[in-house]
């Protein structure tokens, strides 16, 4: 297993829809193992194929809820069904999220409170998870990556202006920007 470089906002693979996984083979199994290692090293609670430069519809997730239940798996060719989000402004204390492809920053974002994830695991078996709260947020965030959407694309106009300033200041927004979790800081 290996830690993979994580792409930074601006890399074209992050802004284009990913393709379906044709076949679950040893190459996909190795990719998923590497994605788990990368996600854990970051540390993060989810990682999508496009974030490591692989334009395939799959993401890993790993999170332990308040009851001590561990949620850890891969979602291959997922479908995501959302409940309507509650109208209004997000609470910065309870509805903020960050992203490994826009590291070091967090912004408030209103998401659906409940979702249903349908996906395939590494054994080729379909599964379904009804999620709410933070797990629902993880699924929505990672699923967005598969459609070429970063959470920063969904922010308020004011927060998007802040994102643009950070992107310019750190010289992000260009193809090829990446960083290695647990190894180094951002590299050109």
């Amino acid at each position: 297993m290996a830690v993979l470089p994580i792409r930074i906002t601006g890399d074209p693979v992050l802004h284009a829809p990913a393709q379906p996984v044709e076949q679950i083979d040893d190459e996909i199994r190795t990719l998923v193992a590497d994605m788990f290692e990368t996600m854990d090293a970051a540390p993060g609670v989810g990682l999508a194929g496009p974030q490591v430069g692989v334009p395939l519809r799959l993401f890993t997730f790993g999170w332990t809820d308040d009851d001590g239940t561990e949620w850890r798996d891969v979602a291959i060719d997922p479908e995501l069904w959302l409940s309507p989000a509650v109208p209004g402004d997000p609470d910065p204390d309870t509805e903020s999220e960050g992203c490994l492809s826009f590291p070091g920053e967090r912004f408030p974002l209103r998401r659906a409170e409940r979702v249903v994830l349908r996906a395939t695991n590494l054994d080729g078996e379909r599964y379904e998870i009804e999620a709410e709260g933070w797990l629902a947020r993880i699924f929505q965030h990672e699923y967005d990556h598969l459609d070429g959407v970063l959470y920063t694309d969904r922010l308020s106009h004011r927060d998007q202006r802040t994102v643009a300033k950070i992107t310019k200041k750190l010289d992000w927004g260009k193809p090829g920007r990446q960083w290695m979790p647990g190894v180094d800081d951002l590299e050109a």
Side-chain angles (χ1 to χ4, degrees), residues 80-160:
L80 192 66
W81 303 91
L82 311 170
S83 66
V86 176
D89 292 331
D91 181 334
D93 294 326
T94 61
E95 294 180 284
S96 288
E97 61 187 73
C99 181
L100 298 176
S101 291
F102 199 83
E105 304 295 331
R106 295 183 66 79
F107 292 94
L109 178 63
R110 178 64 44 98
R111 295 268 193 188
E113 181 61 26
R114 287 184 268 310
V115 302
V116 175
L117 173 72
R118 293 183 183 135
T120 301
N121 65 21
L122 279 179
D123 295 324
E125 300 165 339
R126 293 290 291 170
Y127 68 88
E128 179 175 301
I129 298 174
E130 293 181 27
E132 59 183 55
W134 196 251
L135 186 59
R137 179 175 294 275
I138 293 167
F139 290 162
Q140 290 169 82
H141 182 107
E142 299 310 325
Y143 191 86
D144 272 353
H145 279 297
L146 305 183
D147 289 336
V149 176
L150 296 178
Y151 92 107
T152 54
D153 298 331
R154 295 190 179 278
L155 298 175
S156 70
H157 178 71
R158 186 190 85 237
D159 287 339
Q160 284 188 357

Side-chain angles (χ1 to χ4, degrees), residues 27-101:
E27 187 175 327
I28 293 296
R29 286 181 185 87
T30 299
L31 171 64
V32 169
D34 291 347
M35 287 174 65
F36 274 118
E37 186 165 332
T38 303
M39 180 183 77
D40 293 342
V45 294
L47 187 65
Q51 289 182 276
V52 294
V54 180
L56 292 176
R57 295 190 72 79
L58 59 88
F59 65 82
T60 57
F61 59 93
W63 176 70
T64 303
D65 66 24
D66 292 337
D67 296 329
T69 303
E70 183 178 12
W71 299 93
R72 189 173 177 88
D73 210 334
V74 61
I76 299 171
D77 293 331
E79 299 171 17
L80 192 66
W81 303 91
L82 311 170
S83 66
V86 176
D89 292 331
D91 181 334
D93 294 326
T94 61
E95 294 180 284
S96 288
E97 61 187 73
C99 181
L100 298 176
S101 291

